[in-house]
Amino acid sequence: MQELKERIIAEGIVREGNVLKVDSFLNHQCDVTLYQHMGDAWAQHFADKKIDKILTVAASGIGISCVAALSFGGVPVVFARKAQSINLDGDQYTARVHSYTHGNDNTVIIAKRFLQPGEHVLLIDDFLANGAALDGLIEICRQADAVVEGIGIAVEKGFQSGGKRMRESGYDVCSLAIVKSMDVSTGKIEFA
Amino acid sequence: MQELKERIIAEGIVREGNVLKVDSFLNHQCDVTLYQHMGDAWAQHFADKKIDKILTVAASGIGISCVAALSFGGVPVVFARKAQSINLDGDQYTARVHSYTHGNDNTVIIAKRFLQPGEHVLLIDDFLANGAALDGLIEICRQADAVVEGIGIAVEKGFQSGGKRMRESGYDVCSLAIVKSMDVSTGKIEFA
């Protein structure tokens, strides 16, 4: 998606540890018009799929998913929360997720009543690197007997293993920008 | 807002400790069409105000704010994160927020470059009870010398002190549903 790549080139900041900061438009400050265009792109890619629901993870996936859901006819979005919240029911699906960014483990949680057997689900997230967050969502879908129809990603780090692994597992992954390489010394970002 | 009140009556669950669960449409599963109507209602209420940016808090405020921003011509949304994240810059505004729901204190954080002096800001959140989260956002706006033009709330607990306190402080608070009372034994919910 050209618009997203241009924004990454213009505003993305490369940091040590394979960190690409795009927080001026994607995951701290949110450009909701860009989100609409991202939703349109995913809706076009997954046009032949039946999508009942979008699943994502708090916090960065929520805004993108809620705006993108409008491009899918306003399907519901369910976001997995990290760690236990007393505001959630006891009747929950949970999965452990390792965060390479924060260097810790989290439990992601979805109330069972919001994911039904046989529901057709699109997973959306802002980044795909090692795929740990997606593993958690896929594990929850497996527990719920829901059908993962596809995976919509804003920025895939193509030099990390998650995307390759997901595609080899048979998932239809639509990444709107795939970073082939990035150089912390020059700040240069190249796309696949 | 009649539509929101009807959804609360139909799907809201009253729990001990002044908890009103509306997670089937507002803050776990997200009804994005309802979010659009909420955005339209706030845009109508704040039509005479200049709104440069919407400010909210992770996680429940993000989806509502991003969809609502479309009703304000696609202004940017900035969401405060809870606790330190290594993905954020060192140059941050922070405020301490006590969570009555979770019984702990959090630091909410916004990168300084996403809130400029003189920017006109609308604060949005899913709930207003004691007003602790809003206090944090207002404190950050004070630090940034940004102008709080108004406060958009989905569900205000009118029997708690936050709304009254905000209005007495001079803020234009637009709550789309104000719960006057709720009864944990009967499940009955009454609006102001």
Side-chain angles (χ1 to χ4, degrees):
Chain A
M1 184 189 176
Q2 195 55 32
E3 181 185 1
L4 181 60
K5 290 177 189 171
E6 285 171 6
R7 289 295 289 275
I8 294 169
I9 293 293
E11 301 177 38
I13 300 166
V14 183
R15 290 278 169 85
E16 290 291 350
N18 284 332
V19 171
L20 174 60
K21 281 173 63 78
V22 286
D23 57 359
S24 64
F25 58 94
L26 197 67
N27 52 17
H28 182 18
Q29 183 165 252
C30 309
D31 183 335
V32 297
T33 305
L34 176 66
Y35 285 8
Q36 283 184 307
H37 301 164
M38 291 164 52
D40 291 346
W42 286 320
Q44 191 176 350
H45 181 93
F46 295 109
D48 62 334
K49 300 279 174 72
K50 178 179 183 293
I51 307 291
D52 300 317
K53 187 166 279 184
I54 292 173
L55 223 65
T56 189
V57 184
S60 302
I62 300 174
I64 298 167
S65 297
C66 284
V67 173
L70 300 172
S71 300
F72 288 84
V75 295
V77 173
V78 176
F79 62 88
R81 291 180 181 274
K82 290 172 183 164
Q84 191 72 28
S85 160
I86 61 164
N87 255 351
L88 288 172
D89 276 330
D91 206 16
Q92 298 158 343
Y93 297 115
T94 66
R96 296 288 289 174
V97 170
H98 181 72
S99 169
Y100 291 86
T101 314
H102 298 87
N104 59 5
D105 276 17
N106 282 298
T107 300
V108 292
I109 299 167
I110 286 180
K112 288 188 179 175
R113 61 198 174 108
F114 302 140
L115 194 56
Q116 299 297 319
E119 275 194 310
H120 295 249
V121 172
L122 175 65
L123 311 181
I124 285 185
D125 211 356
D126 57 339
F127 270 96
L128 169 55
N130 294 290
L134 285 180
D135 286 336
L137 292 181
I138 289 168
E139 164 60 18
I140 282 174
C141 288
R142 191 196 61 72
Q143 292 173 30
D145 212 9
V147 182
V148 177
E149 283 290 351
I151 299 170
I153 298 293
V155 186
E156 177 180 337
K157 291 173 176 169
F159 51 88
Q160 289 182 263
S161 63
K164 183 165 182 287
R165 188 161 58 79
M166 292 293 157
R167 290 182 183 93
E168 284 176 358
S169 300
Y171 293 108
D172 182 358
V173 181
C174 176
S175 298
L176 302 180
I178 301 180
V179 176
K180 190 170 69 179
S181 68
M182 51 191 209
D183 187 323
V184 69
S185 60
T186 63
K188 191 170 180 191
I189 299 162
E190 287 190 313
F191 297 101
Chain B
M1 184 188 175
Q2 195 56 31
E3 181 186 1
L4 180 61
K5 290 178 187 170
E6 285 170 6
R7 289 295 289 275
I8 295 169
I9 292 293
E11 300 177 39
I13 299 167
V14 183
R15 289 278 169 85
E16 289 290 350
N18 284 333
V19 171
L20 174 59
K21 281 175 63 77
V22 286
D23 57 359
S24 63
F25 58 95
L26 198 66
N27 52 17
H28 182 19
Q29 183 164 254
C30 309
D31 182 335
V32 296
T33 305
L34 175 66
Y35 285 9
Q36 283 184 307
H37 300 165
M38 290 163 51
D40 291 345
W42 285 321
Q44 190 175 350
H45 180 92
F46 295 109
D48 62 336
K49 300 280 174 67
K50 178 179 185 293
I51 307 291
D52 300 317
K53 187 165 279 186
I54 292 173
L55 222 65
T56 188
V57 184
S60 303
I62 299 173
I64 298 167
S65 296
C66 284
V67 173
L70 300 172
S71 300
F72 288 84
V75 294
V77 173
V78 176
F79 61 89
R81 292 181 180 272
K82 290 171 182 165
Q84 191 72 27
S85 160
I86 61 164
N87 255 351
L88 289 171
D89 275 330
D91 207 16
Q92 299 156 343
Y93 297 115
T94 65
R96 297 288 290 173
V97 170
H98 181 72
S99 168
Y100 291 87
T101 313
H102 298 86
N104 59 4
D105 276 16
N106 282 297
T107 301
V108 292
I109 299 166
I110 286 178
K112 287 187 180 176
R113 61 200 174 108
F114 301 140
L115 192 57
Q116 300 296 319
E119 276 194 310
H120 295 248
V121 172
L122 175 65
L123 310 181
I124 284 185
D125 210 355
D126 58 338
F127 271 95
L128 169 54
N130 294 291
L134 285 179
D135 285 336
L137 291 180
I138 289 168
E139 165 60 18
I140 282 174
C141 288
R142 191 196 61 73
Q143 291 173 31
D145 212 8
V147 182
V148 178
E149 283 290 350
I151 299 171
I153 297 294
V155 186
E156 177 181 336
K157 292 173 176 169
F159 51 88
Q160 289 181 261
S161 63
K164 184 166 182 286
R165 188 162 57 79
M166 292 295 156
R167 290 182 184 94
E168 283 175 359
S169 298
Y171 293 108
D172 182 358
V173 182
C174 176
S175 298
L176 302 180
I178 302 180
V179 177
K180 190 171 67 180
S181 67
M182 53 191 209
D183 187 324
V184 69
S185 58
T186 64
K188 191 171 179 189
I189 299 162
E190 287 190 313
F191 296 101

